[in-house]
Amino acid sequence: MSNAVARYEAVAEPLMRKVHPGLRQGSLAPQDVVALACELLDRFHGGDAVLERVEPNPALVPPVETTALARRILDDAGFDPGFDLAPERWETLRAALRVVAHDLPTRGVEGEPSIEILEDSFPVAAAVRRADGERLNRGGLILPETGDDPAVAATALATLIQESLLERTWQVWPVCPGHDLGVHASVRDGTAVWWCAGDGGHALAPVGALARVLGRGRPR
């Protein structure tokens, strides 16, 4: 590990992990923002937000400007709070998986899938398992930012499960009965739907509501 990387992990990252909760809780400490800006400047992350925070006298910067600059500094540095600093992401993924699970009986898959955090992965991510314990990981793991939007979360989980089942069985699912085409999960007008490309494209059903169109399949 290089000295620069070691210093980043020892100094800059802990500072970002202090600034982010301060932003969320309305308890941002200006000195932490200044320290973070100086540290990033030392590491040649001299973006506009960093320079704006380092150059003026901290005592003269209004709190509202400090808050805005702190957000920009974190964005410029590519900081991601993961699941631990943004636990609502995890709850969004869990809720989305419960929605997607309503569609699995149409494929003949019984039992509730589960989702778990893989603390040892880098970056930390989530994985899905079938009720029988098999991990469904076709297309990769679920990153924390997927939980920032419920529709995106449902679409990502539906896609992961769909592709994993396809790899396992070599059978397309779901299929639009009107066009005999495989459909895919997509966000349309802010809603997660199963989208068919037939006749210019149409929503077959919302994710979680396939049974209304396809009924239940036989167990596989």
Side-chain angles (χ1 to χ4, degrees):
M1 180 184 297
S2 69
N3 290 336
V5 172
R7 180 174 176 82
Y8 177 82
E9 292 184 350
V11 181
E13 187 169 351
L15 281 170
M16 287 190 283
R17 293 179 66 84
K18 287 182 67 177
V19 168
H20 183 270
L23 283 171
R24 287 170 59 95
Q25 299 163 11
S27 58
L28 187 64
Q31 63 270 24
D32 289 337
V33 182
V34 173
L36 175 59
C38 290
E39 181 62 29
L40 293 176
L41 187 63
D42 287 343
R43 296 192 69 252
F44 307 106
H45 285 285
D48 290 342
V50 169
L51 294 175
E52 285 181 43
R53 195 63 192 92
V54 171
E55 290 177 348
N57 182 339
L60 301 179
V61 179
V64 66
E65 291 186 18
T66 296
T67 297
L69 286 170
R71 294 187 189 281
R72 288 171 54 195
I73 289 171
L74 292 180
D75 288 343
D76 289 350
F79 176 72
D80 187 277
F83 290 121
D84 57 336
L85 296 183
E88 70 278 3
R89 289 172 155 182
W90 178 240
E91 294 306 317
T92 296
L93 288 176
R94 292 180 63 193
L97 184 60
R98 289 193 292 269
V99 171
V100 176
H102 292 314
D103 289 339
L104 297 185
T106 69
R107 181 63 182 83
V109 176
E110 303 295 340
E112 289 283 332
S114 61
I115 189 168
E116 60 188 0
I117 296 177
L118 303 179
E119 299 286 357
D120 294 335
S121 69
F122 183 81
V124 172
V128 174
R129 291 186 184 275
R130 285 178 43 146
D132 61 9
E134 177 190 1
R135 180 181 290 177
L136 303 177
N137 57 5
R138 174 67 176 172
L141 302 173
I142 300 295
L143 296 177
E145 58 262 34
T146 309
D148 287 338
D149 180 272
V152 171
T155 298
L157 289 166
T159 299
L160 181 147
I161 292 173
Q162 178 190 41
E163 293 182 353
S164 297
L165 292 176
L166 175 62
E167 182 180 52
R168 181 186 185 193
T169 66
W170 291 97
Q171 293 184 352
V172 175
W173 169 86
V175 174
C176 174
H179 295 102
D180 197 29
L181 294 173
V183 301
H184 64 276
S186 177
V187 178
R188 302 282 170 164
D189 297 325
T191 301
V193 301
W194 290 106
W195 187 261
C196 173
D199 288 337
H202 68 97
L204 176 63
V207 170
L210 266 181
R212 300 176 191 170
V213 179
L214 303 183
R216 294 175 64 90
R218 291 180 296 178
R220 298 177 186 273

